[in-house]
């Protein structure tokens, strides 16, 4: 029997990707859709300005969008995927968890809370055990799991692969697609023929979330990795796919060949949405590129290339599809991990 799931913020850029991934999913069945009061009460087909690259599933298009409040979601829904703006998520997500729903959320609120697991399943799936602490402390029957920011998720898997060489300092500069800002995020007059060297709060997310993801969990609490991370974030006029330039200093020598092999052989998982391999390493110096490589592994693979030595240790480029691996797919994968670990 498929698990009945709901999507909070179902009409937005990430919400639409969630529907695209969940509709054919063998383990999940879409049973509830919510959005703002502008959309509530309308058929999904009318409420959503559908813009993903496949038609709206017939049955989903006919569903009525509900208000984003626990009473509006049927009790037999077990898992909620949240793609709400973080200011809204901060208010309503805890209420859903208190009402007994298990939540896999994209929104940035609570990502750094000490009792909230921030998860990339292939990297730190063991942090899911923190949910026991969360339930004890908050008295929830439900639970809250977060996936990281889309630009964090792009480079952290490559760092996890290099961790055996001792991560000391990391610099990362991003070239982020417009879909990362949501449909109303960046106007065409701002971004065409342009690049914007500022994305509010983004640099802080890369610097802090990466240390949490790479940290340890002793069964009671998390400890952050002590790697220093400095980020610089830029918006560019690509549609999907965040490209990042990374410099990594390690305590032990790490040749270009060892780095490529560590990334290429970093293990994936046997979950429905996990790609194989997790990290696709290019030999060509001009790859990965957003338009050519963002759909590798159904949009769930990380790709890396241009690995070389530099004054600041190793240097390389990496890429991930920001609304799939960086958002909707990341949440779905966390849902699969919750299911495998008996939380549903
Ligand atoms: N885009 C990305 O690549 C990406 C990556 C990682 C994480 N995220 C995070 O995912 C979340 C969603 O991003 P997005 O790009 O999908 O945003 P978006 O396109 O602006 O969509 C926002 C969604 O939230 C709903 N909403 C807005 N205000 C609401 C309210 N007061 N109450 C209930 N629902 C409300 C909207 O419904 P209406 O249509 O009714 O307004 C819509 O469904 C954000 O927290 C974002 O930071 C995005």
């Amino acid at each position: 029997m498929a698990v009945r799931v709901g999507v909070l913020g179902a009409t937005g850029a990430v919400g639409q990707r969630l529907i695209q991934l969940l509709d054919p999913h063998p383990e999940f069945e879409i049973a509830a859709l919510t959005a703002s009061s502008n959309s509530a009460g309308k058929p999904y087909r009318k409420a959503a300005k559908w813009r993903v690259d496949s038609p709206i599933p017939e049955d989903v298009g006919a569903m009525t969008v509900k208000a984003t409040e626990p009473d509006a979601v049927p009790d037999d829904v077990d898992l909620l995927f949240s793609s709400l703006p973080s200011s809204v998520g901060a208010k309503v997500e805890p209420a859903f968890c208190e009402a007994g729903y298990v939540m896999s959320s994209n929104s940035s609120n609570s990502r750094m809370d000490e009792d909230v697991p921030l998860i990339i399943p292939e990297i730190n799936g063991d942090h899911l055990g923190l949910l026991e602490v969360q339930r004890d402390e908050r008295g929830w029957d439900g639970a809250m799991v977060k996936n990281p920011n889309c630009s964090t998720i792009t480079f952290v898997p490559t760092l996890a692969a290099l961790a055996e060489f001792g991560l000391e300092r990391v610099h990362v500069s991003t070239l982020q697609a417009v879909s990362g800002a949501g449909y109303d995020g960046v106007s065409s007059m701002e971004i065409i023929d342009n690049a914007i060297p500022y994305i509010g709060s983004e640099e802080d997310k890369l610097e802090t979330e990466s240390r949490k993801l790479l940290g340890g969990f002793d069964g009671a609490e998390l400890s952050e990795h002590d790697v220093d991370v400095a980020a610089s974030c830029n918006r560019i006029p690509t549609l999907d796919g965040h490209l990042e330039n990374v410099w990594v200093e390690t305590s032990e020598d790490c040749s270009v060949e060892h780095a490529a092999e560590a990334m290429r052989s970093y293990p994936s998982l046997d979950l429905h949405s996990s790609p194989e391999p997790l990290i696709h390493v290019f030999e060509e110096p001009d790859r990965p590129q957003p338009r050519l490589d963002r759909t590798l592994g159904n949009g769930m693979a990380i790709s890396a290339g241009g690995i070389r030595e530099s004054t600041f240790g190793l240097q390389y480029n990496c890429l991930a599809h920001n609304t799939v691996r960086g958002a909707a797919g990341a949440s779905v994968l966390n849902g699969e991990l919750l299911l495998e670990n008996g939380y549903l």
Side-chain angles (χ1 to χ4, degrees):
M1 279 268 287
V3 173
R4 286 168 64 78
V5 304
V7 180
L8 311 183
T11 50
V14 177
Q16 294 184 20
R17 281 278 179 212
L18 277 164
I19 287 166
Q20 189 185 40
L21 296 174
L22 290 169
D23 183 62
H25 199 289
E27 295 166 326
F28 302 132
E29 175 193 348
I30 300 172
L33 305 172
T34 85
S36 76
S37 53
N38 293 334
S39 304
K42 296 180 185 165
Y44 183 76
R45 183 178 299 286
K46 290 229 165 100
K49 290 180 198 148
W50 186 259
R51 288 188 175 98
V52 292
D53 48 358
S54 60
I56 301 186
E58 276 301 315
D59 47 345
V60 173
M63 287 173 70
T64 302
V65 177
K66 305 283 186 191
T68 303
E69 52 196 38
D71 288 348
V73 174
D75 290 341
D76 65 355
V77 168
D78 289 321
L79 174 63
L80 296 174
F81 294 101
S82 171
S83 53
L84 294 166
S86 55
S87 56
V88 180
K91 284 189 205 138
V92 305
E93 288 180 350
F96 280 98
C97 297
E98 199 169 339
Y101 295 100
V102 175
M103 170 90 58
S104 174
S105 167
N106 273 290
S107 308
S108 60
N109 54 289
S110 293
R111 280 191 193 139
M112 295 303 294
D113 289 3
E114 283 181 4
D115 63 347
V116 174
L118 180 68
I119 303 247
I120 303 173
E122 299 94 337
I123 309 303
N124 66 334
D126 62 311
H127 290 196
L128 202 65
L130 192 59
L131 287 182
E132 302 308 325
V133 178
Q134 184 189 89
R135 283 177 159 169
D136 277 356
E137 284 181 359
R138 303 203 188 201
W140 287 347
D141 289 331
M144 183 192 290
V145 172
K146 293 276 169 175
N147 55 262
N149 175 270
C150 44
S151 44
T152 307
I153 223 166
T154 302
F155 81 125
V156 163
T158 63
L159 295 185
L162 299 177
E164 61 182 288
F165 300 101
L167 299 172
E168 295 214 313
R169 293 207 295 177
V170 175
H171 294 84
V172 54
S173 178
T174 70
L175 301 126
Q176 299 183 217
V178 290
S179 61
Y183 284 126
D184 300 327
V186 190
S187 80
S188 54
M189 289 293 280
E190 277 180 283
I191 197 67
I192 292 174
D193 184 31
N194 206 7
I196 302 170
Y198 174 75
I199 302 176
S201 307
E202 194 83 349
E203 294 175 357
D204 182 57
K205 289 175 189 165
L206 274 83
E207 291 166 2
T208 57
E209 292 176 13
S210 53
R211 289 163 58 102
K212 183 171 180 178
L213 287 157
L214 293 165
F217 175 57
D218 65 5
E221 57 184 6
L222 297 178
S223 53
E224 286 190 359
H225 198 291
D226 58 6
V227 61
D228 291 320
V229 179
S232 168
C233 295
N234 304 280
R235 184 78 68 199
I236 61 160
T238 45
L239 197 54
D240 289 315
H242 291 349
L243 179 64
E244 303 184 353
N245 311 127
V246 188
W247 291 258
V248 181
E249 294 176 51
T250 53
S251 55
E252 290 173 30
D253 283 346
C254 176
S255 67
V256 168
E257 293 72 27
H258 282 136
E261 183 50 29
M263 289 187 200
R264 201 174 275 124
S265 61
Y266 193 85
S268 189
L269 291 176
D270 194 19
L271 294 172
H272 176 74
S273 303
S274 290
E276 185 58 53
L278 173 63
I279 305 175
H280 184 101
V281 180
F282 284 97
E283 298 293 340
E284 300 90 329
D286 62 347
R287 303 285 284 277
Q289 295 179 20
R291 188 154 48 86
L292 300 182
D293 302 315
R294 61 193 170 206
T295 55
L296 276 172
N298 291 325
M300 289 297 282
I302 309 296
S303 47
I307 305 174
R308 54 208 188 270
E309 285 173 9
S310 79
T311 317
F312 301 109
L314 276 176
Q315 183 177 348
Y316 56 90
N317 309 313
C318 57
L319 171 86
H321 195 303
N322 55 298
T323 60
V324 183
R325 171 49 92 160
S331 285
V332 171
L333 192 58
N334 281 349
E336 294 166 14
L337 188 73
L338 285 159
L339 181 61
E340 188 180 74
N341 283 271
Y343 286 97
L344 299 171

